[in-house]
Amino acid sequence: MLHDSNIKIDDLLEATYETFYMTIIALLGTFIFGIILGLLLYLTMKGGIWQNKYLNFIVAAFVNVFRAIPFIILILLLFPFTNFLIGTIRGPNAALPALIIGAAPFYGRLVEIALREVDKGVVEAAQAMGAKTRTIIFRVLIPESIPALVSGITVTAIALIGYTAMAGAIGAGGLGSYAYYSGFQRRDYDIVFICSVIIVLIVFIFQFIGDYSSNKLDKR
């Protein structure tokens, strides 16, 4: 026990681990799906390499709809899908589908913005040299936009940490769950406070790593 409070160090460590676990795994999924969504938005836009207004409309609609749904409602809407996929609607793994589906469209838009910032002249030069779309994506677009992509995933990571806390309030585990069930519901506000402090520290860690990486990768 911590002093005279009701904070159990083992429970606190487990909750912190679960928050890191949910954030990092969801971040990996968000990065992959966000890059795909961002590339589709960029490549199918007017004047894009794969210009296709119908596909662009469908992808943009998907992104806009899932960005618009408040995360706490999205979790509830995805309960049947989560139960089918994971086999349960409780615990850190059960939170992952909602975390990824909630964050990937947000990151997808940031990816699209980053790709639009790439000098069109560089892309046109690669096309003139006969480069395939795959080459343009992996040799031109992504390398040129890396600092912005890293900044974007940093912002998304911080949003995800907030999402994990909300998911915790409906049984996903992590610091949000510990703060709500063991702290708020039992009026043990020392637990709520210490969980808040740890979440802020986690945010600072992700922000520092993101800013450091982005600055190192920025060749300007």
Side-chain angles (χ1 to χ4, degrees):
M1 304 283 270
L2 194 70
H3 305 303
D4 298 324
S5 76
N6 295 308
I7 298 169
K8 293 177 180 162
I9 293 295
D10 287 351
D11 289 349
L12 190 63
L13 288 173
E14 185 182 357
T16 305
Y17 165 77
E18 286 173 349
T19 294
F20 267 111
Y21 171 80
M22 285 188 283
T23 304
I24 290 165
I25 302 296
L27 199 60
L28 288 171
T30 297
F31 182 75
I32 293 163
F33 287 112
I35 290 279
I36 292 167
L37 289 170
L39 279 168
L40 283 172
L41 286 168
Y42 174 80
L43 294 169
T44 60
M45 71 179 183
K46 191 175 181 181
I49 298 169
W50 293 344
Q51 182 176 326
N52 184 322
K53 66 178 181 181
Y54 299 111
L55 182 57
N56 188 271
F57 176 80
I58 292 164
V59 177
F62 173 84
V63 166
N64 292 338
V65 166
F66 281 99
R67 278 177 67 207
I69 300 170
F71 182 69
I72 197 84
I73 296 171
L74 182 64
I75 299 173
L76 302 175
L77 284 174
L78 290 173
F79 267 176
F81 175 70
T82 301
N83 198 31
F84 168 75
L85 200 66
I86 310 292
T88 179
I89 56 168
R90 300 188 73 81
N93 285 328
L96 294 175
L99 289 169
I100 293 167
I101 292 169
F106 174 75
Y107 184 54
R109 277 294 181 201
L110 297 179
V111 171
E112 182 200 8
I113 292 163
L115 296 172
R116 282 174 182 264
E117 293 297 312
V118 175
D119 187 349
K120 281 190 169 65
V122 181
V123 178
E124 286 165 3
Q127 283 178 298
M129 289 164 63
K132 292 178 180 174
T133 305
R134 187 174 61 183
T135 308
I136 293 169
I137 291 168
F138 292 107
R139 295 284 174 89
V140 179
L141 291 173
I142 290 176
E144 288 287 323
S145 58
I146 276 284
L149 295 178
V150 172
S151 293
I153 203 69
T154 306
V155 172
T156 309
I158 288 158
L160 269 171
I161 294 162
Y163 288 173
T164 66
M166 280 187 263
I170 51 172
L175 289 162
S177 183
Y178 188 50
Y180 183 71
Y181 290 107
S182 299
F184 177 75
Q185 287 198 338
R186 296 177 186 176
R187 302 203 191 290
D188 285 337
Y189 293 107
D190 50 348
I191 291 177
V192 178
F193 176 74
I194 197 76
C195 287
S196 302
V197 169
I198 294 170
I199 286 170
V200 169
L201 288 173
I202 293 170
V203 167
F204 282 165
I205 290 165
F206 276 91
Q207 187 71 62
F208 174 78
I209 293 168
D211 289 347
Y212 179 80
S213 303
S214 185
N215 290 334
K216 279 283 182 189
L217 292 162
D218 198 341
K219 296 176 179 69
R220 284 174 293 186

